[in-house]
Amino acid sequence: MGNTPGRPSTSAEDYVKVIYDLQERGTGPVTISGMAERLSVSNSSVSGMLRKLNELGLVQHQRYGNVSLTETGTKAALAVLRRHRLLETYLVAELGYSWDEVHDEAEILEHVVSDKFVDRIAAHLGDPVVDPHGDPIPTREGAIVQRESVLLSEAEAGTSGVIVRVNDTDPELLRYLADIDIGIGRRVRVVERLPFAGSIRIGVRSEPEDEEQERALGLVAAEALWMSPDDGAVAGG
């Protein structure tokens, strides 16, 4: 399965997308080990690919250093993210996919659909600015709507707000969150940050007038959710 002419290879697109995604989510410097874990490949495979991407002018990486995208690499990453996130949105909105099914489908389709096709999807959907997981959709020019948000795992006790984004890379986690009625648009309040393993207790409301339901979340789930705080409060200690 090949790429549309003029684009980087499928492998190159996968790598620049992952680098950008790791940078965008603000979980720390992008490292070879972090990329290897995300891509399910060995550290040596990542190192070899980074050398090729460096030669292509897509990344900046010195041995034992962190990884970053060049301007050209950033443009390539935003283009593939636009395709991926619009495809996810279309699959949910028009074909009845659930939010835990679309990531793997979009991973395949993003490399073969044309920009014209993706632009038609965007126009048909009314040019959405976020996908079903709350991830921002770049415009064709590479612009992204910025929203204030904080990882649920880092929010102080007492912080309340709305869930605006969820990490979409783990379908099992998405199914678990759906089962406990936590998703985009849900109102949450951090009740308590528990003193072990990063666990937290939260209160959840489907609608503002609903009775609050308490949930306990482990670190994996808490690090996969972003909330937009009501009062601008952000990180906790």
Side-chain angles (χ1 to χ4, degrees):
M1 186 179 294
N3 279 57
T4 298
R7 289 182 187 166
S9 70
T10 295
S11 295
E13 286 193 333
D14 284 340
Y15 270 75
V16 296
K17 182 181 70 173
V18 164
I19 294 168
Y20 185 92
D21 194 49
L22 290 171
Q23 290 177 334
E24 180 189 33
R25 294 181 190 277
T27 52
V30 180
T31 63
I32 286 178
S33 60
M35 292 179 62
E37 180 180 0
R38 177 69 176 274
L39 291 161
S40 299
V41 299
S42 67
N43 284 9
S44 60
S45 294
V46 173
S47 295
M49 189 62 185
L50 287 176
R51 285 193 292 272
K52 295 178 183 178
L53 296 178
N54 193 45
E55 292 171 0
L56 293 170
L58 298 174
V59 304
Q60 293 177 333
H61 174 250
Q62 300 295 325
R63 192 174 185 184
Y64 305 121
N66 297 326
V67 182
S68 61
L69 293 170
T70 63
E71 182 178 351
T72 301
T74 298
K75 288 179 180 178
L78 288 170
V80 70
L81 281 170
R82 171 174 167 80
R83 298 195 298 272
H84 181 97
R85 293 172 179 175
L86 279 168
L87 284 164
E88 287 191 334
T89 307
Y90 182 80
L91 290 170
V92 169
E94 301 297 327
L95 299 184
Y97 279 70
S98 60
W99 75 340
D100 59 287
E101 296 176 309
V102 292
H103 180 75
D104 289 344
E105 293 279 15
E107 286 278 292
I108 298 169
L109 294 170
E110 68 191 25
H111 300 297
V112 295
V113 295
S114 69
D115 290 334
K116 180 179 180 179
F117 180 79
V118 171
D119 288 343
R120 291 285 181 89
I121 286 177
H124 177 75
L125 296 174
D127 292 313
V129 296
V130 294
D131 74 7
H133 310 104
D135 291 326
I137 299 174
T139 66
R140 190 165 189 180
E141 294 73 32
I144 285 181
V145 173
Q146 300 291 341
R147 297 179 299 172
E148 181 184 26
S149 62
V150 59
L151 275 173
L152 200 55
S153 61
E154 298 177 356
E156 295 179 345
T159 303
S160 60
V162 176
I163 297 295
V164 294
R165 190 176 188 184
V166 60
N167 193 330
D168 67 349
T169 58
D170 185 345
E172 288 189 14
L173 176 60
L174 292 174
R175 287 190 287 272
Y176 168 72
L177 292 173
D179 286 344
I180 62 174
D181 199 30
I182 295 178
I184 304 300
R186 288 289 185 266
R187 293 204 57 81
V188 297
R189 178 176 64 90
V190 179
V191 176
E192 182 181 11
R193 298 182 67 176
L194 302 174
F196 54 88
S199 300
I200 64 173
R201 284 196 304 119
I202 63 172
V204 183
R205 298 177 190 269
S206 298
E207 300 293 339
E209 64 274 11
D210 290 347
E211 183 177 348
E212 186 175 89
Q213 303 292 321
E214 285 201 3
R215 302 277 189 273
L217 290 181
L219 180 61
V220 172
E223 286 188 334
L225 293 160
W226 283 258
M227 67 184 297
S228 177
D230 291 335
D231 58 2
V234 286

mmCIF file of all heavy atoms in Angstrom, residues 107-154:
data_model
loop_
_atom_site.group_PDB
_atom_site.id
_atom_site.type_symbol
_atom_site.label_atom_id
_atom_site.label_comp_id
_atom_site.label_asym_id
_atom_site.label_seq_id
_atom_site.Cartn_x
_atom_site.Cartn_y
_atom_site.Cartn_z
ATOM 1 N N GLU A 107 -5.691 4.924 11.046
ATOM 2 C CA GLU A 107 -4.266 4.684 10.871
ATOM 3 C C GLU A 107 -3.963 4.127 9.477
ATOM 4 O O GLU A 107 -2.929 4.425 8.886
ATOM 5 C CB GLU A 107 -3.769 3.679 11.926
ATOM 6 C CG GLU A 107 -3.657 4.238 13.325
ATOM 7 C CD GLU A 107 -2.378 5.010 13.548
ATOM 8 O OE1 GLU A 107 -1.303 4.398 13.564
ATOM 9 O OE2 GLU A 107 -2.464 6.241 13.695
ATOM 10 N N ILE A 108 -4.867 3.303 8.965
ATOM 11 C CA ILE A 108 -4.688 2.724 7.638
ATOM 12 C C ILE A 108 -5.043 3.737 6.545
ATOM 13 O O ILE A 108 -4.277 3.971 5.603
ATOM 14 C CB ILE A 108 -5.561 1.462 7.486
ATOM 15 C CG1 ILE A 108 -5.140 0.399 8.500
ATOM 16 C CG2 ILE A 108 -5.475 0.904 6.062
ATOM 17 C CD1 ILE A 108 -6.108 -0.769 8.599
ATOM 18 N N LEU A 109 -6.195 4.358 6.687
ATOM 19 C CA LEU A 109 -6.718 5.220 5.631
ATOM 20 C C LEU A 109 -5.931 6.516 5.462
ATOM 21 O O LEU A 109 -5.868 7.067 4.357
ATOM 22 C CB LEU A 109 -8.186 5.555 5.929
ATOM 23 C CG LEU A 109 -9.166 4.378 5.881
ATOM 24 C CD1 LEU A 109 -10.525 4.803 6.436
ATOM 25 C CD2 LEU A 109 -9.310 3.855 4.472
ATOM 26 N N GLU A 110 -5.331 7.010 6.534
ATOM 27 C CA GLU A 110 -4.663 8.318 6.479
ATOM 28 C C GLU A 110 -3.537 8.379 5.460
ATOM 29 O O GLU A 110 -3.162 9.456 4.981
ATOM 30 C CB GLU A 110 -4.114 8.686 7.858
ATOM 31 C CG GLU A 110 -2.958 7.806 8.308
ATOM 32 C CD GLU A 110 -2.586 7.989 9.764
ATOM 33 O OE1 GLU A 110 -3.440 8.411 10.552
ATOM 34 O OE2 GLU A 110 -1.436 7.691 10.098
ATOM 35 N N HIS A 111 -2.975 7.234 5.105
ATOM 36 C CA HIS A 111 -1.837 7.215 4.178
ATOM 37 C C HIS A 111 -2.243 7.131 2.713
ATOM 38 O O HIS A 111 -1.406 7.306 1.838
ATOM 39 C CB HIS A 111 -0.922 6.033 4.505
ATOM 40 C CG HIS A 111 -0.348 6.073 5.896
ATOM 41 N ND1 HIS A 111 0.485 7.081 6.331
ATOM 42 C CD2 HIS A 111 -0.513 5.236 6.954
ATOM 43 C CE1 HIS A 111 0.824 6.851 7.594
ATOM 44 N NE2 HIS A 111 0.228 5.754 7.985
ATOM 45 N N VAL A 112 -3.515 6.850 2.460
ATOM 46 C CA VAL A 112 -3.914 6.599 1.073
ATOM 47 C C VAL A 112 -4.953 7.582 0.535
ATOM 48 O O VAL A 112 -5.093 7.704 -0.687
ATOM 49 C CB VAL A 112 -4.449 5.155 0.908
ATOM 50 C CG1 VAL A 112 -3.334 4.161 1.170
ATOM 51 C CG2 VAL A 112 -5.623 4.873 1.822
ATOM 52 N N VAL A 113 -5.683 8.259 1.401
ATOM 53 C CA VAL A 113 -6.684 9.206 0.904
ATOM 54 C C VAL A 113 -5.999 10.470 0.402
ATOM 55 O O VAL A 113 -4.944 10.865 0.888
ATOM 56 C CB VAL A 113 -7.727 9.564 1.988
ATOM 57 C CG1 VAL A 113 -8.536 8.345 2.373
ATOM 58 C CG2 VAL A 113 -7.056 10.170 3.214
ATOM 59 N N SER A 114 -6.612 11.096 -0.579
ATOM 60 C CA SER A 114 -6.053 12.330 -1.143
ATOM 61 C C SER A 114 -6.445 13.526 -0.293
ATOM 62 O O SER A 114 -7.424 13.489 0.463
ATOM 63 C CB SER A 114 -6.564 12.526 -2.571
ATOM 64 O OG SER A 114 -7.953 12.825 -2.560
ATOM 65 N N ASP A 115 -5.696 14.612 -0.430
ATOM 66 C CA ASP A 115 -6.037 15.844 0.284
ATOM 67 C C ASP A 115 -7.392 16.378 -0.186
ATOM 68 O O ASP A 115 -8.150 16.945 0.604
ATOM 69 C CB ASP A 115 -4.955 16.895 0.064
ATOM 70 C CG ASP A 115 -3.654 16.536 0.784
ATOM 71 O OD1 ASP A 115 -3.717 15.812 1.790
ATOM 72 O OD2 ASP A 115 -2.581 16.973 0.322
ATOM 73 N N LYS A 116 -7.695 16.197 -1.482
ATOM 74 C CA LYS A 116 -8.994 16.637 -1.997
ATOM 75 C C LYS A 116 -10.126 15.894 -1.295
ATOM 76 O O LYS A 116 -11.127 16.498 -0.890
ATOM 77 C CB LYS A 116 -9.068 16.395 -3.503
ATOM 78 C CG LYS A 116 -10.390 16.817 -4.141
ATOM 79 C CD LYS A 116 -10.371 16.569 -5.638
ATOM 80 C CE LYS A 116 -11.698 17.007 -6.273
ATOM 81 N NZ LYS A 116 -11.697 16.791 -7.737
ATOM 82 N N PHE A 117 -9.953 14.585 -1.117
ATOM 83 C CA PHE A 117 -10.965 13.782 -0.432
ATOM 84 C C PHE A 117 -11.146 14.260 1.001
ATOM 85 O O PHE A 117 -12.277 14.396 1.490
ATOM 86 C CB PHE A 117 -10.554 12.306 -0.464
ATOM 87 C CG PHE A 117 -11.517 11.375 0.196
ATOM 88 C CD1 PHE A 117 -12.675 10.972 -0.449
ATOM 89 C CD2 PHE A 117 -11.277 10.894 1.484
ATOM 90 C CE1 PHE A 117 -13.570 10.106 0.168
ATOM 91 C CE2 PHE A 117 -12.163 10.033 2.101
ATOM 92 C CZ PHE A 117 -13.323 9.641 1.436
ATOM 93 N N VAL A 118 -10.044 14.510 1.697
ATOM 94 C CA VAL A 118 -10.113 14.957 3.085
ATOM 95 C C VAL A 118 -10.761 16.332 3.181
ATOM 96 O O VAL A 118 -11.550 16.598 4.097
ATOM 97 C CB VAL A 118 -8.702 14.961 3.715
ATOM 98 C CG1 VAL A 118 -8.721 15.634 5.076
ATOM 99 C CG2 VAL A 118 -8.193 13.526 3.849
ATOM 100 N N ASP A 119 -10.451 17.220 2.234
ATOM 101 C CA ASP A 119 -11.087 18.538 2.239
ATOM 102 C C ASP A 119 -12.599 18.419 2.032
ATOM 103 O O ASP A 119 -13.377 19.180 2.617
ATOM 104 C CB ASP A 119 -10.480 19.422 1.142
ATOM 105 C CG ASP A 119 -9.073 19.878 1.465
ATOM 106 O OD1 ASP A 119 -8.678 19.793 2.642
ATOM 107 O OD2 ASP A 119 -8.359 20.301 0.536
ATOM 108 N N ARG A 120 -13.016 17.456 1.210
ATOM 109 C CA ARG A 120 -14.451 17.232 1.007
ATOM 110 C C ARG A 120 -15.104 16.738 2.301
ATOM 111 O O ARG A 120 -16.230 17.122 2.626
ATOM 112 C CB ARG A 120 -14.670 16.213 -0.117
ATOM 113 C CG ARG A 120 -14.287 16.707 -1.515
ATOM 114 C CD ARG A 120 -15.303 17.684 -2.070
ATOM 115 N NE ARG A 120 -14.958 18.130 -3.405
ATOM 116 C CZ ARG A 120 -15.338 17.514 -4.536
ATOM 117 N NH1 ARG A 120 -16.083 16.413 -4.464
ATOM 118 N NH2 ARG A 120 -14.983 17.992 -5.702
ATOM 119 N N ILE A 121 -14.410 15.850 3.015
ATOM 120 C CA ILE A 121 -14.918 15.385 4.308
ATOM 121 C C ILE A 121 -15.084 16.562 5.265
ATOM 122 O O ILE A 121 -16.115 16.698 5.931
ATOM 123 C CB ILE A 121 -13.972 14.336 4.920
ATOM 124 C CG1 ILE A 121 -14.099 13.002 4.176
ATOM 125 C CG2 ILE A 121 -14.285 14.129 6.410
ATOM 126 C CD1 ILE A 121 -13.144 11.935 4.688
ATOM 127 N N ALA A 122 -14.055 17.411 5.332
ATOM 128 C CA ALA A 122 -14.105 18.562 6.231
ATOM 129 C C ALA A 122 -15.298 19.457 5.907
ATOM 130 O O ALA A 122 -16.040 19.875 6.803
ATOM 131 C CB ALA A 122 -12.804 19.350 6.144
ATOM 132 N N ALA A 123 -15.498 19.743 4.616
ATOM 133 C CA ALA A 123 -16.608 20.599 4.204
ATOM 134 C C ALA A 123 -17.945 19.940 4.526
ATOM 135 O O ALA A 123 -18.880 20.599 5.013
ATOM 136 C CB ALA A 123 -16.508 20.908 2.714
ATOM 137 N N HIS A 124 -18.044 18.639 4.279
ATOM 138 C CA HIS A 124 -19.289 17.912 4.549
ATOM 139 C C HIS A 124 -19.641 17.946 6.032
ATOM 140 O O HIS A 124 -20.830 18.048 6.394
ATOM 141 C CB HIS A 124 -19.138 16.457 4.082
ATOM 142 C CG HIS A 124 -20.322 15.600 4.375
ATOM 143 N ND1 HIS A 124 -21.508 15.680 3.653
ATOM 144 C CD2 HIS A 124 -20.533 14.637 5.323
ATOM 145 C CE1 HIS A 124 -22.387 14.818 4.149
ATOM 146 N NE2 HIS A 124 -21.814 14.179 5.160
ATOM 147 N N LEU A 125 -18.626 17.884 6.893
ATOM 148 C CA LEU A 125 -18.845 17.863 8.342
ATOM 149 C C LEU A 125 -18.931 19.263 8.952
ATOM 150 O O LEU A 125 -19.117 19.392 10.162
ATOM 151 C CB LEU A 125 -17.719 17.076 9.021
ATOM 152 C CG LEU A 125 -17.618 15.585 8.675
ATOM 153 C CD1 LEU A 125 -16.366 14.980 9.307
ATOM 154 C CD2 LEU A 125 -18.866 14.833 9.130
ATOM 155 N N GLY A 126 -18.785 20.297 8.128
ATOM 156 C CA GLY A 126 -18.853 21.656 8.652
ATOM 157 C C GLY A 126 -17.557 22.151 9.246
ATOM 158 O O GLY A 126 -17.555 22.983 10.153
ATOM 159 N N ASP A 127 -16.424 21.639 8.727
ATOM 160 C CA ASP A 127 -15.090 22.036 9.189
ATOM 161 C C ASP A 127 -14.948 21.944 10.708
ATOM 162 O O ASP A 127 -14.726 22.944 11.408
ATOM 163 C CB ASP A 127 -14.751 23.456 8.716
ATOM 164 C CG ASP A 127 -14.572 23.534 7.205
ATOM 165 O OD1 ASP A 127 -13.861 22.670 6.661
ATOM 166 O OD2 ASP A 127 -15.153 24.448 6.583
ATOM 167 N N PRO A 128 -15.079 20.744 11.259
ATOM 168 C CA PRO A 128 -14.942 20.580 12.719
ATOM 169 C C PRO A 128 -13.543 20.934 13.187
ATOM 170 O O PRO A 128 -12.567 20.785 12.438
ATOM 171 C CB PRO A 128 -15.225 19.074 12.924
ATOM 172 C CG PRO A 128 -14.864 18.441 11.614
ATOM 173 C CD PRO A 128 -15.247 19.445 10.566
ATOM 174 N N VAL A 129 -13.427 21.403 14.425
ATOM 175 C CA VAL A 129 -12.125 21.801 14.963
ATOM 176 C C VAL A 129 -11.543 20.763 15.906
ATOM 177 O O VAL A 129 -10.375 20.837 16.275
ATOM 178 C CB VAL A 129 -12.202 23.175 15.666
ATOM 179 C CG1 VAL A 129 -12.559 24.262 14.669
ATOM 180 C CG2 VAL A 129 -13.199 23.140 16.820
ATOM 181 N N VAL A 130 -12.373 19.784 16.323
ATOM 182 C CA VAL A 130 -11.880 18.687 17.154
ATOM 183 C C VAL A 130 -12.489 17.382 16.648
ATOM 184 O O VAL A 130 -13.562 17.372 16.040
ATOM 185 C CB VAL A 130 -12.206 18.865 18.654
ATOM 186 C CG1 VAL A 130 -11.472 20.069 19.229
ATOM 187 C CG2 VAL A 130 -13.705 18.966 18.870
ATOM 188 N N ASP A 131 -11.799 16.269 16.933
ATOM 189 C CA ASP A 131 -12.302 14.955 16.537
ATOM 190 C C ASP A 131 -13.100 14.325 17.679
ATOM 191 O O ASP A 131 -13.299 14.966 18.729
ATOM 192 C CB ASP A 131 -11.144 14.075 16.048
ATOM 193 C CG ASP A 131 -10.238 13.570 17.168
ATOM 194 O OD1 ASP A 131 -10.547 13.766 18.364
ATOM 195 O OD2 ASP A 131 -9.197 12.970 16.862
ATOM 196 N N PRO A 132 -13.594 13.083 17.540
ATOM 197 C CA PRO A 132 -14.436 12.504 18.597
ATOM 198 C C PRO A 132 -13.737 12.318 19.941
ATOM 199 O O PRO A 132 -14.408 12.121 20.965
ATOM 200 C CB PRO A 132 -14.823 11.135 18.012
ATOM 201 C CG PRO A 132 -14.724 11.304 16.543
ATOM 202 C CD PRO A 132 -13.572 12.229 16.337
ATOM 203 N N HIS A 133 -12.403 12.378 19.963
ATOM 204 C CA HIS A 133 -11.661 12.243 21.216
ATOM 205 C C HIS A 133 -11.223 13.598 21.764
ATOM 206 O O HIS A 133 -10.491 13.657 22.750
ATOM 207 C CB HIS A 133 -10.433 11.361 21.001
ATOM 208 C CG HIS A 133 -10.752 10.063 20.316
ATOM 209 N ND1 HIS A 133 -10.462 9.841 18.986
ATOM 210 C CD2 HIS A 133 -11.355 8.943 20.775
ATOM 211 C CE1 HIS A 133 -10.873 8.623 18.651
ATOM 212 N NE2 HIS A 133 -11.422 8.060 19.710
ATOM 213 N N GLY A 134 -11.667 14.685 21.102
ATOM 214 C CA GLY A 134 -11.307 16.021 21.554
ATOM 215 C C GLY A 134 -9.964 16.497 21.044
ATOM 216 O O GLY A 134 -9.507 17.583 21.423
ATOM 217 N N ASP A 135 -9.305 15.715 20.178
ATOM 218 C CA ASP A 135 -8.030 16.138 19.620
ATOM 219 C C ASP A 135 -8.268 17.238 18.581
ATOM 220 O O ASP A 135 -9.174 17.117 17.740
ATOM 221 C CB ASP A 135 -7.312 14.973 18.936
ATOM 222 C CG ASP A 135 -6.837 13.926 19.917
ATOM 223 O OD1 ASP A 135 -6.463 14.303 21.046
ATOM 224 O OD2 ASP A 135 -6.818 12.734 19.564
ATOM 225 N N PRO A 136 -7.462 18.306 18.593
ATOM 226 C CA PRO A 136 -7.675 19.392 17.633
ATOM 227 C C PRO A 136 -7.368 18.951 16.210
ATOM 228 O O PRO A 136 -6.415 18.213 15.960
ATOM 229 C CB PRO A 136 -6.687 20.475 18.103
ATOM 230 C CG PRO A 136 -5.642 19.736 18.867
ATOM 231 C CD PRO A 136 -6.343 18.578 19.517
ATOM 232 N N ILE A 137 -8.195 19.376 15.274
ATOM 233 C CA ILE A 137 -8.006 19.055 13.856
ATOM 234 C C ILE A 137 -7.319 20.234 13.178
ATOM 235 O O ILE A 137 -7.884 21.328 13.118
ATOM 236 C CB ILE A 137 -9.356 18.772 13.175
ATOM 237 C CG1 ILE A 137 -10.041 17.573 13.834
ATOM 238 C CG2 ILE A 137 -9.156 18.530 11.677
ATOM 239 C CD1 ILE A 137 -11.453 17.314 13.323
ATOM 240 N N PRO A 138 -6.103 20.045 12.652
ATOM 241 C CA PRO A 138 -5.432 21.147 11.955
ATOM 242 C C PRO A 138 -6.209 21.562 10.705
ATOM 243 O O PRO A 138 -6.833 20.731 10.041
ATOM 244 C CB PRO A 138 -4.073 20.547 11.566
ATOM 245 C CG PRO A 138 -3.885 19.366 12.471
ATOM 246 C CD PRO A 138 -5.268 18.834 12.713
ATOM 247 N N THR A 139 -6.179 22.853 10.407
ATOM 248 C CA THR A 139 -6.715 23.321 9.131
ATOM 249 C C THR A 139 -5.747 22.913 8.028
ATOM 250 O O THR A 139 -4.645 22.427 8.287
ATOM 251 C CB THR A 139 -6.870 24.837 9.111
ATOM 252 O OG1 THR A 139 -5.554 25.435 9.173
ATOM 253 C CG2 THR A 139 -7.707 25.329 10.287
ATOM 254 N N ARG A 140 -6.152 23.118 6.785
ATOM 255 C CA ARG A 140 -5.257 22.781 5.674
ATOM 256 C C ARG A 140 -3.975 23.609 5.745
ATOM 257 O O ARG A 140 -2.921 23.171 5.281
ATOM 258 C CB ARG A 140 -5.962 23.007 4.342
ATOM 259 C CG ARG A 140 -5.174 22.450 3.165
ATOM 260 C CD ARG A 140 -5.984 22.333 1.915
ATOM 261 N NE ARG A 140 -5.237 21.605 0.901
ATOM 262 C CZ ARG A 140 -5.689 21.344 -0.308
ATOM 263 N NH1 ARG A 140 -6.891 21.741 -0.653
ATOM 264 N NH2 ARG A 140 -4.953 20.684 -1.179
ATOM 265 N N GLU A 141 -4.053 24.794 6.353
ATOM 266 C CA GLU A 141 -2.868 25.645 6.486
ATOM 267 C C GLU A 141 -2.033 25.290 7.711
ATOM 268 O O GLU A 141 -0.982 25.887 7.956
ATOM 269 C CB GLU A 141 -3.286 27.122 6.568
ATOM 270 C CG GLU A 141 -3.923 27.668 5.293
ATOM 271 C CD GLU A 141 -5.340 27.144 5.075
ATOM 272 O OE1 GLU A 141 -6.032 26.900 6.092
ATOM 273 O OE2 GLU A 141 -5.741 26.994 3.914
ATOM 274 N N GLY A 142 -2.505 24.348 8.522
ATOM 275 C CA GLY A 142 -1.744 23.916 9.694
ATOM 276 C C GLY A 142 -2.085 24.645 10.971
ATOM 277 O O GLY A 142 -1.392 24.478 11.981
ATOM 278 N N ALA A 143 -3.161 25.433 10.972
ATOM 279 C CA ALA A 143 -3.571 26.137 12.194
ATOM 280 C C ALA A 143 -4.375 25.193 13.079
ATOM 281 O O ALA A 143 -5.081 24.311 12.598
ATOM 282 C CB ALA A 143 -4.399 27.367 11.841
ATOM 283 N N ILE A 144 -4.251 25.393 14.401
ATOM 284 C CA ILE A 144 -4.953 24.565 15.376
ATOM 285 C C ILE A 144 -5.599 25.463 16.420
ATOM 286 O O ILE A 144 -4.996 26.428 16.889
ATOM 287 C CB ILE A 144 -3.977 23.582 16.066
ATOM 288 C CG1 ILE A 144 -3.613 22.446 15.114
ATOM 289 C CG2 ILE A 144 -4.566 23.005 17.343
ATOM 290 C CD1 ILE A 144 -2.670 21.431 15.729
ATOM 291 N N VAL A 145 -6.841 25.150 16.778
ATOM 292 C CA VAL A 145 -7.519 25.876 17.842
ATOM 293 C C VAL A 145 -6.920 25.461 19.185
ATOM 294 O O VAL A 145 -6.860 24.272 19.507
ATOM 295 C CB VAL A 145 -9.032 25.576 17.833
ATOM 296 C CG1 VAL A 145 -9.711 26.194 19.057
ATOM 297 C CG2 VAL A 145 -9.673 26.088 16.559
ATOM 298 N N GLN A 146 -6.427 26.424 19.930
ATOM 299 C CA GLN A 146 -5.822 26.152 21.233
ATOM 300 C C GLN A 146 -6.864 26.323 22.335
ATOM 301 O O GLN A 146 -7.613 27.304 22.352
ATOM 302 C CB GLN A 146 -4.650 27.119 21.488
ATOM 303 C CG GLN A 146 -3.537 27.029 20.463
ATOM 304 C CD GLN A 146 -2.762 25.727 20.544
ATOM 305 O OE1 GLN A 146 -2.806 25.029 21.558
ATOM 306 N NE2 GLN A 146 -2.030 25.391 19.490
ATOM 307 N N ARG A 147 -6.920 25.330 23.238
ATOM 308 C CA ARG A 147 -7.856 25.404 24.365
ATOM 309 C C ARG A 147 -7.092 25.154 25.653
ATOM 310 O O ARG A 147 -6.219 24.294 25.704
ATOM 311 C CB ARG A 147 -8.959 24.358 24.226
ATOM 312 C CG ARG A 147 -9.846 24.527 23.020
ATOM 313 C CD ARG A 147 -10.900 23.438 22.959
ATOM 314 N NE ARG A 147 -10.291 22.115 22.848
ATOM 315 C CZ ARG A 147 -10.973 20.985 22.932
ATOM 316 N NH1 ARG A 147 -12.263 21.012 23.159
ATOM 317 N NH2 ARG A 147 -10.363 19.824 22.807
ATOM 318 N N GLU A 148 -7.449 25.930 26.681
ATOM 319 C CA GLU A 148 -6.822 25.714 27.977
ATOM 320 C C GLU A 148 -7.310 24.384 28.549
ATOM 321 O O GLU A 148 -8.508 24.124 28.626
ATOM 322 C CB GLU A 148 -7.164 26.841 28.947
ATOM 323 C CG GLU A 148 -6.505 26.668 30.311
ATOM 324 C CD GLU A 148 -6.921 27.741 31.299
ATOM 325 O OE1 GLU A 148 -8.019 28.290 31.137
ATOM 326 O OE2 GLU A 148 -6.148 27.999 32.241
ATOM 327 N N SER A 149 -6.386 23.538 28.928
ATOM 328 C CA SER A 149 -6.765 22.262 29.520
ATOM 329 C C SER A 149 -5.636 21.769 30.405
ATOM 330 O O SER A 149 -4.503 22.243 30.325
ATOM 331 C CB SER A 149 -7.086 21.222 28.434
ATOM 332 O OG SER A 149 -5.948 20.962 27.630
ATOM 333 N N VAL A 150 -5.958 20.797 31.247
ATOM 334 C CA VAL A 150 -4.985 20.220 32.159
ATOM 335 C C VAL A 150 -5.259 18.734 32.261
ATOM 336 O O VAL A 150 -6.419 18.290 32.204
ATOM 337 C CB VAL A 150 -5.066 20.890 33.556
ATOM 338 C CG1 VAL A 150 -6.449 20.735 34.153
ATOM 339 C CG2 VAL A 150 -4.010 20.323 34.493
ATOM 340 N N LEU A 151 -4.204 17.943 32.365
ATOM 341 C CA LEU A 151 -4.387 16.524 32.594
ATOM 342 C C LEU A 151 -5.139 16.311 33.898
ATOM 343 O O LEU A 151 -4.840 16.952 34.915
ATOM 344 C CB LEU A 151 -3.036 15.812 32.657
ATOM 345 C CG LEU A 151 -2.404 15.366 31.350
ATOM 346 C CD1 LEU A 151 -0.993 14.846 31.614
ATOM 347 C CD2 LEU A 151 -3.234 14.286 30.665
ATOM 348 N N LEU A 152 -6.091 15.415 33.897
ATOM 349 C CA LEU A 152 -6.849 15.138 35.112
ATOM 350 C C LEU A 152 -5.927 14.683 36.239
ATOM 351 O O LEU A 152 -6.148 14.995 37.411
ATOM 352 C CB LEU A 152 -7.905 14.068 34.822
ATOM 353 C CG LEU A 152 -9.086 13.955 35.783
ATOM 354 C CD1 LEU A 152 -9.812 15.281 35.924
ATOM 355 C CD2 LEU A 152 -10.041 12.868 35.305
ATOM 356 N N SER A 153 -4.862 13.969 35.886
ATOM 357 C CA SER A 153 -3.920 13.472 36.893
ATOM 358 C C SER A 153 -3.154 14.599 37.582
ATOM 359 O O SER A 153 -2.567 14.391 38.652
ATOM 360 C CB SER A 153 -2.929 12.501 36.245
ATOM 361 O OG SER A 153 -2.180 13.154 35.230
ATOM 362 N N GLU A 154 -3.138 15.794 36.980
ATOM 363 C CA GLU A 154 -2.376 16.913 37.531
ATOM 364 C C GLU A 154 -3.265 17.995 38.145
ATOM 365 O O GLU A 154 -2.764 18.977 38.684
ATOM 366 C CB GLU A 154 -1.490 17.528 36.445
ATOM 367 C CG GLU A 154 -0.449 16.560 35.895
ATOM 368 C CD GLU A 154 0.375 17.157 34.770
ATOM 369 O OE1 GLU A 154 0.083 18.309 34.355
ATOM 370 O OE2 GLU A 154 1.287 16.478 34.281
#
